[in-house]
Amino acid sequence: MSNFLKNIIRFIFFILVQAFILDKVPPLHQFIKPCLYFLFILWLPFNISRSALLLVSFIFGLTLDYFTGPPGLHAAPCVIIAYIRPFLLNILLPQETTELSYAEPSIKSLGWAPYSVYVVLLTFVHHLSLVFIEWMQLGGLLFFMGKVAATTAVSLLLIFVTEMLFYRKAKYRTNKA
Amino acid sequence: MRNIFIFIGRYFNFFLFLILLGISFAILIKFNQTYEAFFANNSNEVTGWVDRQYNDIEYYFRLKDANRQLAEENARLRNMLASSFDSPDSARIIKIDTLTKDTLGRVRKFNFLPAKVVNNSVSQEFNYITLYRGSNQGIKSDMAVIGPDGIVGRVILVSDNYSRVMSLLNRNSRVSAMLKKGNYTGILDWDGKDPQYVQLHGIPKSAQLNKGDSVLTSNLSDFPSGIMIGTVSAMSIDPSTNFFTLQVKSSTNFFTLQYAYIVENFLWNEQKKLETKTPKNQ
């Protein structure tokens, strides 16, 4: 399956999962909202250009917004993590080789520790900006800190489960083929 | 000039980032004003279609609940029918028909349009509901929406076949409510915590309250007055003001909502027109 087709399927899949499964879960607490959709942006391939990455993330966020909540609420955090992603990958991948030999960020291509740093940081930034936008309308410091911490923890748990359930075969690309 | 182009070219991604971020915020902030004209029709139709497909499946699992709610409502309404009441003097029969004006000169004020709920959320801070009925079926924005058991929200966006409703469970929702006992009016909103409870503010401390008191829509709101909202479940006095803050258990179960009624108020425009005519300094 080509990379392009695979990502289109993922796009639809993540939107549907977020809008029709995770958002339908009855909330346990005000702070605990399951949120997984942005994993799509984290899984986009290495070789996507930075402007394409920004545009894809923006459209992705906006699509989700039309299913849930006011438009623009998820689009802004998506654009922010899409902008940070290349910088973070540059730091985490000192050698050029990884980028050439693997298609997309995963446990196998980056290694356990760098991949966790990558996921934790982007998840945190995503929720920080998402809750910040809500907080500007609602206020309350406890709300802000509690919600950032709780949603980040829930998201990390969900991402961990997803990585375990859907093991992505990271092909090692060589010159031979 | 050339330098400017080089500068923009070098930092193209950064500018693109700023532009996209700006667009997101602009859409978010302008949501209530220009969004309608811009996106409502197309995007609402598309997401509405997807929502309907999903709801077609989900609906089977809720049939039992929906049936029970509708049957209960039918029973309640049948009890209110004119024919259920009999008076010793049978010379006079009062009938209310569906014409705008009946023979007694009464003017029809409200019309109820049933609509299927195709999308509903309870888990966000700002929850919205999508109904499968739109401008082609006579829906306009600002119409009130009630469910089989109580009030639901207000229409904010309308496309050809779908309408988007700001749920009662939305941090921006405000409804004028009153206590059935004593007719104290206050403002009802939601604090975003528990989807089963909404908050009623502005009831004076002097009011005699009990747990379980009914809360109804007041005659100040654009909802038909006297529609059930919920029952008081906890009371606390706001120390900074002289008012109660009441926890109201919503009578509408937002988790299982399948049908709603959009309320058309025929006299709303007339009332608004008169109110805007009020002189400023008299």
Side-chain angles (χ1 to χ4, degrees):
Chain A
M1 206 183 337
S2 80
N3 230 343
F4 186 63
L5 189 64
K6 194 163 75 183
N7 275 301
I8 288 178
I9 293 171
R10 263 184 208 166
F11 187 107
I12 298 166
F13 178 75
F14 272 113
I15 293 281
L16 292 182
V17 165
Q18 182 67 36
F20 291 116
I21 297 175
L22 295 179
D23 281 353
K24 301 286 177 191
V25 176
L28 281 174
H29 185 262
Q30 186 191 8
F31 292 158
I32 301 173
K33 306 274 155 73
C35 190
L36 184 68
Y37 70 98
F38 58 92
L39 196 58
F40 170 75
I41 297 166
L42 269 56
W43 279 4
L44 282 172
F46 284 121
N47 58 4
I48 188 170
S49 82
R50 283 179 56 192
S51 27
L53 178 66
L54 282 171
L55 278 173
V56 167
S57 308
F58 177 69
I59 294 167
F60 181 73
L62 209 58
T63 313
L64 185 68
D65 282 333
Y66 283 124
F67 284 98
T68 62
L73 183 67
H74 292 101
C78 280
V79 172
I80 290 173
I81 58 168
Y83 184 69
I84 297 174
R85 196 189 104 126
F87 296 108
L88 201 60
L89 281 177
N90 270 348
I91 298 168
L92 294 171
L93 300 174
Q95 316 93 335
E96 289 283 304
T97 49
T98 318
E99 209 161 319
L100 295 174
S101 43
Y102 288 102
E104 56 191 38
S106 69
I107 296 174
K108 200 166 179 200
S109 65
L110 290 180
W112 259 105
Y115 186 68
S116 326
V117 173
Y118 169 72
V119 168
V120 170
L121 268 179
L122 286 186
T123 308
F124 180 70
V125 170
H126 172 270
H127 287 302
L128 195 71
S129 44
L130 180 65
V131 179
F132 182 72
I133 295 169
E134 284 183 341
W135 174 72
M136 283 197 294
Q137 290 165 293
L138 310 170
L141 191 65
L142 188 72
F143 170 80
F144 181 64
M145 301 200 326
K147 193 162 180 187
V148 171
T151 46
T152 307
V154 172
S155 288
L156 287 175
L157 184 72
L158 279 174
I159 291 173
F160 181 73
V161 171
T162 317
E163 291 283 356
M164 294 293 105
L165 278 179
F166 301 96
Y167 185 73
R168 288 172 294 148
K169 274 170 277 171
K171 258 185 288 172
Y172 190 82
R173 291 194 298 193
T174 53
N175 295 339
K176 274 186 261 172
Chain B
M1 198 62 192
R2 198 172 144 268
N3 285 333
I4 294 177
F5 283 129
I6 292 173
F7 178 72
I8 292 176
R10 181 173 296 166
Y11 294 104
F12 175 72
N13 285 316
F14 182 65
F15 286 117
L16 186 67
F17 166 65
L18 285 186
I19 290 167
L20 291 180
L21 201 60
I23 294 174
S24 321
F25 277 113
I27 299 173
L28 190 59
I29 292 162
K30 296 254 171 185
F31 176 47
N32 288 323
Q33 295 123 48
T34 55
Y35 168 73
E36 241 165 304
F38 245 61
F39 301 100
N41 240 325
N42 303 322
S43 70
N44 219 0
E45 284 291 308
V46 175
T47 53
W49 181 85
V50 180
D51 287 336
R52 188 153 50 85
Q53 303 308 312
Y54 175 80
N55 184 261
D56 279 347
I57 300 166
E58 191 202 20
Y59 186 51
Y60 281 106
F61 300 102
R62 300 274 166 82
L63 274 177
K64 218 173 170 182
D65 252 343
N67 260 341
R68 184 188 50 77
Q69 278 179 343
L70 295 177
E72 277 174 7
E73 190 187 21
N74 266 344
R76 202 165 62 237
L77 294 178
R78 256 175 213 286
N79 284 332
M80 285 155 71
L81 272 181
S83 58
S84 310
F85 297 94
D86 202 5
S87 59
D89 176 10
S90 55
R92 243 190 243 163
I93 298 166
I94 298 170
K95 272 189 182 163
I96 302 169
D97 60 10
T98 49
L99 292 174
T100 311
K101 235 174 205 180
D102 71 359
T103 45
L104 290 166
R106 265 189 283 213
V107 177
R108 188 176 183 84
K109 190 174 176 192
F110 295 111
N111 190 23
F112 294 81
L113 309 156
K116 181 109 191 286
V117 175
V118 291
N119 187 18
N120 182 12
S121 75
V122 291
S123 56
Q124 314 286 319
E125 302 285 326
F126 301 91
N127 292 304
Y128 297 91
I129 297 169
T130 311
L131 299 178
Y132 187 28
R133 194 184 253 277
S135 58
N136 286 353
Q137 292 86 36
I139 308 300
K140 297 183 206 80
S141 61
D142 277 344
M143 282 184 178
V145 179
I146 63 175
D149 300 324
I151 70 166
V152 169
R154 175 167 303 153
V155 177
I156 51 165
L157 290 173
V158 184
S159 69
D160 287 346
N161 294 305
Y162 295 95
S163 48
R164 200 97 165 110
V165 174
M166 181 194 276
S167 165
L168 191 62
L169 305 179
N170 187 307
R171 306 273 289 233
N172 288 334
S173 115
R174 299 278 181 280
V175 175
S176 173
M178 70 178 177
L179 288 165
K180 193 177 182 185
K181 195 170 73 179
N183 287 3
Y184 291 100
T185 54
I187 296 289
L188 190 87
D189 60 12
W190 187 55
D191 61 2
K193 283 189 181 129
D194 191 335
Q196 293 190 0
Y197 295 93
V198 288
Q199 283 69 38
L200 179 61
H201 305 278
I203 303 293
K205 255 190 220 167
S206 57
Q208 295 290 317
L209 291 174
N210 287 315
K211 276 187 189 172
D213 283 357
S214 299
V215 179
L216 311 175
T217 54
S218 79
N219 32 12
L220 307 179
S221 67
D222 49 351
F223 284 90
S225 64
I227 299 240
M228 187 73 177
I229 295 175
T231 50
V232 175
S233 70
M235 301 160 263
S236 60
I237 292 173
D238 189 353
S240 58
T241 60
N242 244 350
F243 297 112
F244 276 116
T245 297
L246 305 178
Q247 293 283 332
V248 177
K249 186 164 194 314
S250 165
S251 60
T252 303
N253 186 348
F254 284 92
F255 292 98
T256 58
L257 194 65
Q258 288 295 334
Y259 273 97
Y261 302 92
I262 302 174
V263 185
E264 188 176 7
N265 184 341
F266 290 112
L267 302 180
W268 183 244
N269 281 341
E270 190 185 329
Q271 187 191 340
K272 280 286 130 188
K273 219 166 147 192
L274 182 67
E275 282 172 0
T276 50
K277 268 189 199 159
T278 314
K280 283 266 156 58
N281 45 8
Q282 282 179 31

